[in-house]
């Protein structure tokens, strides 16, 4: 039996259905920006989904610019990040396309903002787990 081994360098924070975090993204080619809903974020990159009906077609290795993150109070200062599409889940029968992007040449300021966000979110999650009665 094959075992799954996590190979990510950085812990990810997943957003539940109640939590809304959005990103404004622009193709590096200078095309019109578009908004997406974040599924997760880490120091290494983001995962997001967009509606198939939006007509935005991305490919693996496409260069993108994350203009800003918004909708979540602890991510509002993260901005102006270069990233590349690393994977795409695009099933014709689904209403959304899911995309994973890696940050490229992350500057110190944004790296610290993302590290702080992840640490706070992990700490909050740990406290929530401890508050749940057994």
């Amino acid at each position: 039996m094959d075992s799954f081994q996590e190979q990510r360098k950085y812990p990810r924070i997943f957003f539940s259905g109640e939590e809304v975090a959005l990103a404004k993204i622009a193709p590096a080619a200078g095309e019109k920006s578009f908004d997406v809903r974040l599924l997760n974020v880490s120091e290494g990159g983001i995962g997001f989904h967009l509606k198939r009906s939006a007509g935005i077609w991305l490919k693996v290795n496409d260069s993108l610019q994350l203009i800003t993150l918004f909708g979540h109070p602890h991510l509002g200062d993260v901005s102006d990040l270069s990233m590349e599409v690393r994977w795409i889940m695009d099933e014709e029968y689904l209403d959304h396309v899911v995309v994973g992007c890696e940050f490229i040449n992350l500057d110190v300021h944004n790296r610290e903002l993302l590290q702080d966000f992840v640490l706070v979110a992990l700490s909050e999650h740990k406290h929530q787990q401890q508050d749940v009665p057994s």
Side-chain angles (χ1 to χ4, degrees):
M1 175 189 284
D2 292 330
S3 64
F4 174 78
Q5 182 177 356
E6 181 65 59
Q7 296 180 6
R8 296 182 188 278
K9 294 180 189 177
Y10 309 105
R12 290 182 290 171
I13 301 302
F14 292 88
F15 298 101
S16 66
E18 302 89 46
E19 293 179 293
V20 177
L22 306 168
K24 182 172 286 301
I25 296 174
E31 298 170 27
K32 184 179 176 185
S33 66
F34 53 93
D35 294 345
V36 298
R37 185 166 181 164
L38 292 179
L39 298 171
N40 60 69
V41 65
S42 77
E43 182 181 337
I46 61 172
F48 62 84
H49 68 82
L50 53 98
K51 289 187 177 188
R52 179 180 301 287
S53 61
I56 298 165
W57 307 112
L58 301 172
K59 300 181 309 296
V60 171
N61 296 324
D62 277 356
S63 294
L64 301 174
Q65 190 71 23
L66 186 143
I67 298 169
T68 190
L69 297 176
F70 59 100
H72 194 285
H74 301 294
L75 290 172
D77 292 333
V78 176
S79 63
D80 196 29
L81 301 176
S82 296
M83 56 188 188
E84 288 184 3
V85 176
R86 291 296 178 216
W87 58 266
I88 297 173
M89 185 176 65
D90 184 4
E91 300 294 337
E92 290 181 32
Y93 56 87
L94 297 176
D95 292 335
H96 292 86
V97 176
V98 181
V99 180
C101 294
E102 178 182 11
F103 296 134
I104 306 299
N105 300 323
L106 187 61
D107 63 88
V108 173
H109 174 71
N110 281 307
R111 182 177 303 279
E112 289 174 351
L113 290 171
L114 289 164
Q115 287 172 341
D116 289 348
F117 169 73
V118 169
L119 288 173
V120 168
L122 288 174
S123 175
E124 288 175 356
H125 178 73
K126 184 177 178 181
H127 288 307
Q128 289 172 352
Q129 294 296 322
Q130 291 174 347
D131 292 341
V132 175
S134 312

